[in-house]
Amino acid sequence: GSDSFTLSQDLISLNSGESKNVFVYTSQNAISSPFTLSAFNQYGTNEITSELKVNSCYDFTLSTDKDFVNFCEHSTENVAITVTNAGINQDSYNLEVNGPRWINLDQQSLVLNPQQSGSVNLVLSPNYGIEGNFDIDLIINSKETSKARELKAQVNKCYDVFLNIQEKEISLCNNAQTPLLVKNTGSFEKEFRLETSEQWALLNNYQINLQPGEESNVNLLLNVEGIERNNYDVFVNALALDG
């Protein structure tokens, strides 16, 4: 067998009908493997094959249903984490994750019997405005062992709107109107509510529904009769009706 096997003695003398025990020893770092013990003299040889099986008292396996997640902002994605107790004793496991604040575990500890498996969900829920590539470090500690796995997440900007007033500055004495462009630059159909910062700045349409990439023209109506002569900043806001 391997070099980890040694005999208690390599020479033995027996009378007729006599038997004695011989021991095969293994080193502390031995691994599971077969070995063959041979006994021989000038009259013949006999042998027997056996196998050493080394069980881990405390070991576990770690797996995830995916290592890369590609999804939209303001949505939720789950990654299933499976821990299996590969040892011969009951063991407890503590889970932790290092990454952005919007990444959490729905459970942070498991207690498993030998060969039992348990599942934990890694929950990813970025808010609006979060985008980019993120590294996530998953760490699991047991009594004797620690294992880690790196996951990656790509968060895409899927919700956005573009506004453009054609005339950025206008000087007037009477009422006037100027075009306003509204474009859905997100990935999903959206309904937008429009509003202005001044009561005398009106719109001919306050609510529009746009497909991804679709744009619409709205007129900004400036009703300045009775308004004191001055310089005014007028803002137009677009707000998705789903928040």
Side-chain angles (χ1 to χ4, degrees):
S2 69
D3 293 338
S4 61
F5 295 105
T6 57
L7 285 166
S8 60
Q9 60 189 100
D10 55 11
L11 182 65
I12 191 170
S13 178
L14 297 173
N15 294 319
S16 176
E18 186 182 7
S19 63
K20 290 183 179 179
N21 290 325
V22 176
F23 296 95
V24 178
Y25 296 109
T26 62
S27 61
Q28 189 173 9
N29 59 353
I31 61 174
S32 297
S33 61
F35 65 93
T36 300
L37 177 65
S38 299
F40 61 92
N41 59 16
Q42 67 270 30
Y43 302 109
T45 300
N46 205 345
E47 62 185 21
I48 185 172
T49 298
S50 186
E51 183 173 3
L52 171 70
K53 186 173 183 181
V54 180
N55 293 314
S56 175
C57 295
Y58 297 100
D59 195 12
F60 67 93
T61 61
L62 164 65
S63 64
T64 55
D65 64 343
K66 47 196 165 189
D67 294 327
F68 175 71
V69 184
N70 186 356
F71 65 121
C72 286
E73 58 177 331
H74 195 66
S75 62
T76 299
E77 191 78 17
N78 291 333
V79 177
I81 303 164
T82 301
V83 180
T84 302
N85 183 352
I88 61 173
N89 294 324
Q90 185 187 79
D91 206 353
S92 59
Y93 308 90
N94 296 316
L95 296 88
E96 60 182 85
V97 61
N98 295 324
R101 293 182 180 179
W102 41 268
I103 298 175
N104 295 286
L105 294 163
D106 67 352
Q107 193 175 344
Q108 294 183 320
S109 62
L110 290 170
V111 177
L112 301 175
N113 292 319
Q115 307 308 312
Q116 183 183 10
S117 297
S119 294
V120 175
N121 284 320
L122 182 68
V123 183
L124 300 86
S125 54
N127 208 341
Y128 286 120
I130 294 176
E131 62 177 316
N133 296 310
F134 301 89
D135 294 331
I136 306 163
D137 293 321
L138 175 66
I139 303 169
I140 300 181
N141 298 305
S142 69
K143 292 180 181 178
E144 302 288 340
T145 311
S146 178
K147 295 187 179 182
R149 173 157 300 187
E150 183 182 68
L151 310 175
K152 293 186 178 294
Q154 179 176 320
V155 183
N156 305 305
K157 189 170 183 61
C158 298
Y159 306 96
D160 204 3
V161 60
F162 172 75
L163 294 178
N164 186 40
I165 301 177
Q166 183 170 319
E167 296 182 80
K168 299 297 188 296
E169 186 173 333
I170 186 171
S171 179
L172 70 164
C173 299
N174 301 311
N175 296 344
Q177 69 177 30
T178 186
L180 168 70
L181 174 69
V182 185
K183 183 176 182 179
N184 180 0
T185 53
S187 305
F188 301 95
E189 178 184 2
K190 282 290 176 183
E191 193 167 9
F192 298 98
R193 183 177 75 245
L194 303 177
E195 56 186 30
T196 67
S197 60
E198 308 299 326
Q199 291 184 346
W200 46 265
L202 309 175
L203 298 168
N204 69 332
N205 191 357
Y206 285 91
Q207 192 164 310
I208 54 176
N209 190 82
L210 297 175
Q211 298 290 334
E214 185 181 6
E215 59 185 44
S216 177
N217 287 310
V218 177
N219 286 326
L220 175 62
L221 311 174
L222 302 173
N223 185 2
V224 297
E225 292 182 1
I227 300 300
E228 181 181 352
R229 178 184 176 184
N230 206 338
N231 292 322
Y232 296 91
D233 292 327
V234 179
F235 298 94
V236 178
N237 297 323
L239 177 68
L241 293 184
D242 64 354

